[in-house]
């Protein structure tokens, strides 16, 4: 990719989009138009089409989405389904009509069946029923994958789709109602330490296993795929290792320096029992994650302290 090629990162204020912009700027890319939600409403079809007609980006990374943890997904299926379908339909179609050279659509590991084989190969897509807590988001993301594949098949578009495992890092959402587990536990452990509390409440049984990838690693993988991957077949992006929620909670307490007890709120759902991506395809192309979990958590905690702890 030429450093002056125009690359549009949709969703640049989010966890993923922010990391992508940081990475692109570090690498010397200098033609990165930015639009936040106020400047351009991705749910507005004609506004999106006009933006693409006017700006004509060469490359698009579709990182804009309504996202949230297990509770938000479970409580607001209508919003997760409708908003994501609108956002991705508008952007993918406008990108094609504006002659975008390449588009990268970001999905997540929740697109796979609840009881998929572990680690989950890309071929598991649509092989069984989804986990109910994340079904609306998953259906929207699956529709996005299929739309990209349809543009590839019908029009020869170079629209690729990457499925990211559970992500964390700077700019994450630390709201306890809507966040994912890692950000939630970081905040809870910090607040428990500050209050000198005796216990920290963790949702569910602690038994589910999840794989966590630092968002800077994801950004690195996305740039790698833009350079090296031109297939409409989906490709998994993960670190290749998982950990139980109990182990994660213990690790976070250790990093934060909270030494009280863990208490389990089993009225909250566990969600899918395990989500570990098979990253053989990505490793085969020559990309691997580099940020160890403990180090990534410590760096994210540092960001939290500097930006949000007050
Ligand atoms: P998921 O990967 O789609 O299930 O999304 P989450 O990251 O929200 O949740 C992962 C797992 O962590 C689930 O089993 C949750 O029940 C568990 N968990 C434990 N404590 C928390 C918490 O405080 N917030 C969230 N979001 N999940 C938690």
């Amino acid at each position: 990719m030429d450093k002056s090629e125009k690359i549009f990162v949709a969703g640049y204020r989010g966890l993923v989009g922010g990391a992508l912009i940081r990475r692109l700027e570090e690498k010397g890319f200098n033609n990165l138009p930015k639009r936040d939600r106020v400047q351009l409403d991705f749910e507005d079809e004609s506004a999106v089409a006009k933006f693409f007609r006017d700006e004509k980006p060469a490359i698009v990374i579709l990182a804009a989405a309504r996202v949230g943890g297990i509770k938000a997904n479970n409580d607001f299926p209508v919003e997760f389904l409708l908003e994501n379908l609108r956002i991705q339909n508008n952007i993918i179609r406008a990108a094609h009509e504006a002659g975008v050279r390449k588009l990268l659509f970001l999905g997540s590991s929740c697109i796979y069946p609840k009881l998929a084989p572990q680690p989950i190969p890309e071929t598991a897509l649509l092989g069984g029923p989804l986990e109910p807590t994340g079904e609306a988001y998953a259906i929207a993301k699956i529709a996005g994958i299929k739309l990209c594949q349809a543009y590839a098949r019908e029009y020869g578009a170079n629209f690729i789709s990457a499925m990211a495992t559970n992500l964390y890092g700077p700019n994450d959402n630390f709201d306890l109602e809507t966040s994912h587990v890692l950000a939630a536990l970081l905040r809870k452990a910090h607040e428990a330490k500050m209050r000198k509390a005796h216990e920290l409440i963790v949702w569910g049984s602690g038994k589910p296993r999840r794989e966590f990838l630092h968002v800077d690693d994801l950004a690195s993988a996305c740039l790698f795929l833009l350079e090296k991957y031109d297939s409409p077949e989906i490709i998994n992006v993960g670190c290749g290792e998982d950990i139980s929620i109990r182990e994660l909670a213990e690790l976070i307490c250790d990093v934060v320096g909270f030494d009280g007890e863990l208490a389990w709120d089993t009225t909250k759902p566990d969600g899918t029992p395990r989500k570990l991506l098979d990253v053989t395809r990505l490793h085969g192309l020559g990309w691997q994650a580099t940020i160890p979990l403990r180090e990534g958590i410590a760096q994210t905690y540092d960001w939290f302290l500097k930006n949000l702890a007050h």
Side-chain angles (χ1 to χ4, degrees):
M1 286 183 302
D2 192 276
K3 303 285 187 218
S4 62
E5 250 191 323
K6 190 180 277 190
I7 304 177
F8 179 57
V9 177
Y12 86 98
R13 284 201 183 274
L15 172 68
V16 173
L20 282 162
I21 291 285
R22 282 198 302 280
R23 180 91 189 173
L24 286 162
E25 287 177 345
E26 265 166 38
K27 294 268 171 202
F29 288 91
N30 54 35
N31 198 353
L32 308 170
K34 296 184 186 120
R35 295 291 186 282
D36 65 22
R37 205 171 293 181
V38 179
Q39 294 164 309
L40 176 58
D41 176 5
F42 293 132
E43 289 189 70
D44 180 340
E45 186 177 357
S46 57
V48 172
K50 179 173 181 337
F51 167 78
F52 275 84
R53 270 197 311 274
D54 293 349
E55 284 287 339
K56 294 205 181 335
I59 295 174
V60 172
I61 308 178
L62 209 177
R66 182 178 181 122
V67 294
I70 192 164
K71 185 170 190 303
N73 267 279
N74 202 27
D75 291 352
F76 302 107
V78 172
E79 288 72 18
F80 275 82
L81 188 52
L82 261 188
E83 289 177 26
N84 285 313
L85 285 172
R86 285 199 187 113
I87 293 168
Q88 67 204 33
N89 286 350
N90 290 343
I91 294 177
I92 294 169
R93 177 160 140 186
H96 170 68
E97 286 175 2
V100 161
R101 162 171 98 67
K102 187 159 186 174
L103 178 143
L104 169 58
F105 175 67
L106 282 161
S108 94
S109 54
C110 71
I111 58 150
Y112 292 113
K114 177 181 173 108
L115 299 177
Q118 303 286 331
I120 313 172
E122 287 87 351
T123 50
L125 180 62
L126 293 174
L130 297 162
E131 154 61 32
T133 52
E135 192 177 51
Y137 179 78
I139 292 282
K141 287 292 174 186
I142 293 169
I145 295 167
K146 292 295 165 190
L147 187 59
C148 288
Q149 291 177 339
Y151 271 109
R153 184 158 68 85
E154 195 175 327
Y155 296 103
N158 192 1
F159 288 3
I160 64 171
S161 301
M163 299 305 114
T165 196
N166 289 36
L167 300 168
Y168 71 97
N171 266 327
D172 207 342
N173 168 16
F174 286 86
D175 178 293
L176 295 179
E177 285 292 299
T178 56
S179 65
H180 283 99
V181 60
L182 197 149
L185 293 183
L186 253 185
R187 175 170 170 184
K188 285 185 189 174
H190 172 75
E191 290 176 355
K193 176 176 129 180
M194 290 299 143
R195 284 197 317 269
K196 298 188 172 32
H198 297 294
E199 63 174 29
L200 180 161
I201 295 173
V202 190
W203 295 354
S205 67
K207 293 197 182 99
R209 299 184 69 84
R210 295 288 184 272
E211 175 188 17
F212 297 95
L213 183 73
H214 192 285
V215 73
D216 289 348
D217 267 335
L218 176 75
S220 148
C222 288
L223 265 57
F224 176 86
L225 291 171
L226 283 174
E227 301 269 15
K228 300 256 170 22
Y229 192 73
D230 291 319
S231 164
E233 294 303 319
I234 60 174
I235 184 158
N236 288 341
V237 182
C239 65
E241 283 171 35
D242 66 352
I243 174 175
S244 74
I245 297 302
R246 175 185 289 278
E247 289 163 336
L248 176 75
E250 288 167 356
L251 177 59
I252 288 175
C253 289
D254 198 38
V255 169
V256 169
F258 170 70
D259 54 13
E261 300 292 316
L262 299 178
W264 301 93
D265 176 0
T266 49
T267 64
K268 296 287 196 306
D270 266 348
T272 199
R274 193 174 181 202
K275 255 197 288 184
L276 173 64
L277 290 179
D278 182 339
V279 284
T280 310
R281 200 176 275 181
L282 186 59
H283 283 181
L285 292 172
W287 187 91
Q288 296 217 357
T290 60
I291 305 173
L293 184 57
R294 172 180 274 274
E295 194 181 309
I297 291 173
Q299 185 248 32
T300 306
Y301 184 43
D302 214 40
W303 183 91
F304 173 83
L305 289 176
K306 288 194 185 110
N307 292 277
L308 295 176
H310 54 277

